[in-house]
Amino acid sequence: MKKTANTDFENKLYCEGPKRILTIDGGGIRGIIALQFLERIETLLRKRHENSEMVLADYFDLIVGTSTGAIIAALLSRGSSISEIKQQYSELGERVFQPQRNWLGSLGRFLGVKFDSTPLSDLLKEYFKDERLDSSIFKTGLCLIAKRADTASVWPLVNIPRNKYFEYNKQIKISEILRASTAAPTYFEPETIMDVGNSESAIFIDGSVSMHQNPALQALMVANLDGFGLNWPLGENNLLLCSVGTGSWNPAPSKAEIEDANNLDWASLLIPQMIHDASELNQTIMQWLSNSHTATTIDSQIGSLNADSISPSPMLSYLRYDVMLEKTVLDELGFNYTEDELDSLRKIDSVHQLKDLENIGNKASKNSALDDHFPVIFDVK
C-alpha cells in the first residue's frame, strides 16, 4: 500500500510532480566560490518567482553536500539565505583554519594534523546546537556525505524518513556529521561518532576522500534507488539536478616531478589526481545520462557527449556550475595570477585569499548564462 505523506516536509519529498536537486562539492575554503554561483541562482529564482524573500530551500527538494559543501547544504536546507551563509562562512574561515601550536613547531604539524579540530567542532555546535538528523528545522531532503574509515565505506547520511537506515541514524547530531564530512586527512583529526545505531561507534574522515567529492551521481542515486526511500521517477521533465563546484584544475605534475619522484612524492602527486579523476567521471556520467544546457568538453575523444545517450531518452535535466582555476581561464576573466599564486588559491585552507576566491566566483557566475538554463517546468507552483 502506498504510504501517505502526513507533514509538510514529507509532502515536499513525496508529492507528485517534478523534483529538484542541488549538490555542492567539497573544497575547503573554496566553498566561497560555490556560494557566489548559489547567490546568482537565488537571485534568478527570486526574480522568476516574483518573491524577494525566496531561499533555495523553497525551490530545491533535496540538497546534497560533501565536506565544505555539506556545511553549506545543511545551512541551505534549514532555510538560510546565501547572504546569511556568506557571513557565517567568513567567520568559519577566520576561526577554523588556525595552525596547531605546540613545542614541536613545523615538525609536529608534519607528524600530526595541520589544524586543531576544536574550533570547527565548536562552530558547528553553535550553528546547529543539538539538532539531529531527524530535526524538524530542515525544510528539504538533506544528504551529507562522509567516509567511514573503519569500514572503508561511503556513508550518505540522509534525513529521509523512509530511508532503510533512518531509524538507526536519525539520532546522530548534525554537528557531528558535518565534523565527520569535513575531517580532511592531514588537516583535521578523524571524527569518532559514538553511536551510529545499535550503540555502535564509527570513525569518519572527509567525504571528499571517495568517489563523491563531487556528489552529483550520489545525489541521483539517493533520489532514485529504492534503498534510499525517495524513488523519484527519472526523466528530463521529472528530475532537475543542479551541481555547483568549488573551483577545479588539472593536477598534472611536470615530467621532471615524475622522473624525480620518491615514494613519499608519489602519495602527494596521486591523491589530487584521484580526486580529480573521480570528479571528472561524475561529470562524464551525468552528461551521458542527461539533457544538459551546461555540457562541457570532457576530453578530445568523447567531447561533451551531446551525441551520446545511455538510454532512449534523457534520465534527467542536469546543470553544472564551476570555474577552472587555470591561468588561461582566470586571465580571460580579468585576473592576472602567477603560478605560485594559483597554487595557493587551490589549497583548501587559503583563508588569506578568501576575497580573491570570492571575486573569482563572482566573475565566473556572472559569465554564466544561468537565466536560460533552468527549465520552466521546474518552477515552483
Side-chain angles (χ1 to χ4, degrees):
M1 179 182 295
K2 185 177 181 179
K3 296 181 181 179
T4 302
N6 55 15
T7 66
D8 290 340
F9 172 71
E10 287 198 37
N11 186 60
K12 188 177 183 70
L13 296 185
Y14 298 115
C15 67
E16 300 292 330
K19 297 299 180 187
R20 311 155 197 87
I21 306 168
L22 174 65
T23 72
I24 306 131
D25 288 11
I29 202 65
R30 298 198 317 274
I32 194 66
I33 291 176
L35 286 171
Q36 295 306 114
F37 281 105
L38 292 169
E39 188 169 50
R40 175 85 188 280
I41 293 168
E42 182 186 69
T43 300
L44 166 66
L45 294 176
R46 286 177 173 181
K47 181 179 179 181
R48 177 177 289 191
H49 292 85
E50 298 181 344
N51 179 359
S52 62
E53 301 298 318
M54 188 177 193
V55 293
L56 295 184
D58 297 326
Y59 181 80
F60 290 101
D61 303 292
L62 172 66
I63 304 179
V64 182
T66 300
S67 194
T68 196
I71 297 176
I72 296 172
L75 292 169
L76 288 173
S77 183
R78 74 175 186 185
S80 296
S81 67
I82 299 301
S83 63
E84 291 171 329
I85 297 175
K86 285 175 71 174
Q87 291 177 351
Q88 292 167 313
Y89 211 78
S90 177
E91 178 186 25
L92 185 148
E94 291 175 2
R95 287 177 54 178
V96 168
F97 293 105
Q98 297 298 323
Q100 291 271 33
R101 298 183 184 278
N102 56 48
W103 66 273
L104 287 171
S106 59
L107 177 60
R109 290 191 290 275
F110 175 77
L111 295 174
V113 292
K114 190 172 183 180
F115 301 110
D116 181 359
S117 60
T118 302
L120 175 57
S121 295
D122 290 345
L123 196 59
L124 293 173
K125 289 172 186 175
E126 287 179 27
Y127 290 165
F128 294 97
K129 313 299 182 189
D130 290 325
E131 300 292 348
R132 311 186 321 174
L133 196 58
D134 62 354
S135 172
S136 61
I137 66 168
F138 297 112
K139 303 177 183 300
T140 74
L142 178 64
C143 174
L144 308 172
I145 299 172
K147 176 72 175 286
R148 183 169 173 182
D150 57 322
T151 60
S153 56
V154 177
W155 274 40
L157 289 148
V158 300
N159 67 341
I160 301 166
R162 301 180 194 175
N163 174 257
K164 185 175 181 180
Y165 289 105
F166 183 69
E167 289 301 314
Y168 293 92
N169 302 148
K170 67 181 182 180
Q171 83 290 340
I172 305 177
K173 292 180 181 179
I174 296 298
S175 60
E176 292 181 324
I177 298 173
L178 294 176
R179 169 69 182 89
S181 183
T182 55
T186 75
Y187 287 89
F188 296 104
E189 294 176 348
E191 172 74 355
T192 298
I193 298 179
M194 298 310 298
D195 185 3
V196 293
N198 289 333
S199 299
E200 179 185 359
S201 65
I203 303 174
F204 291 92
I205 56 174
D206 197 306
S208 292
V209 191
S210 72
M211 291 294 292
H212 306 295
Q213 189 263 351
N214 170 350
L217 183 58
Q218 178 67 73
L220 180 61
M221 291 189 284
V222 170
N224 181 252
L225 297 184
D226 183 69
F228 288 104
L230 288 176
N231 304 105
W232 289 345
L234 299 174
E236 63 179 315
N237 292 328
N238 295 328
L239 207 58
L240 168 68
L241 194 153
C242 177
S243 169
V244 181
T246 59
S248 56
W249 64 93
N250 182 358
S254 67
K255 290 182 179 179
E257 287 178 294
I258 296 172
E259 290 170 346
D260 296 335
N262 57 37
N263 288 345
L264 189 60
D265 292 331
W266 275 115
S268 62
L269 290 174
L270 291 178
I271 290 174
Q273 292 184 43
M274 293 171 70
I275 293 174
H276 172 77
D277 289 348
S279 183
E280 186 176 86
L281 181 60
N282 264 271
Q283 180 72 354
T284 303
I285 292 173
M286 295 305 297
Q287 290 185 192
W288 193 12
L289 295 173
S290 69
N291 175 24
S292 178
H293 293 297
T294 60
T296 58
T297 298
I298 304 297
D299 59 39
S300 60
Q301 180 160 288
I302 62 177
S304 65
L305 291 95
N306 282 336
D308 299 285
S309 179
I310 202 170
S311 61
S313 58
M315 294 184 181
L316 73 158
S317 292
Y318 170 66
L319 302 172
R320 171 70 176 175
Y321 299 107
D322 198 10
V323 58
M324 293 293 290
L325 300 179
E326 302 280 5
K327 183 165 178 56
T328 54
V329 174
L330 295 183
D331 283 350
E332 289 178 5
L333 289 175
F335 300 98
N336 185 26
Y337 292 110
T338 66
E339 289 298 334
D340 286 343
E341 289 171 333
L342 278 177
D343 286 341
S344 179
L345 277 171
R346 294 164 179 170
K347 297 182 186 303
I348 69 172
D349 59 341
S350 292
V351 181
H352 63 289
Q353 291 183 285
L354 184 65
K355 195 63 182 178
D356 291 279
L357 293 166
E358 185 176 9
N359 290 337
I360 290 169
N362 183 49
K363 186 68 72 73
S365 69
K366 289 180 178 178
N367 214 41
S368 300
L370 277 75
D371 300 50
D372 302 324
H373 292 171
F374 287 77
V376 175
I377 194 170
F378 292 101
D379 284 358
V380 178
K381 303 298 189 287

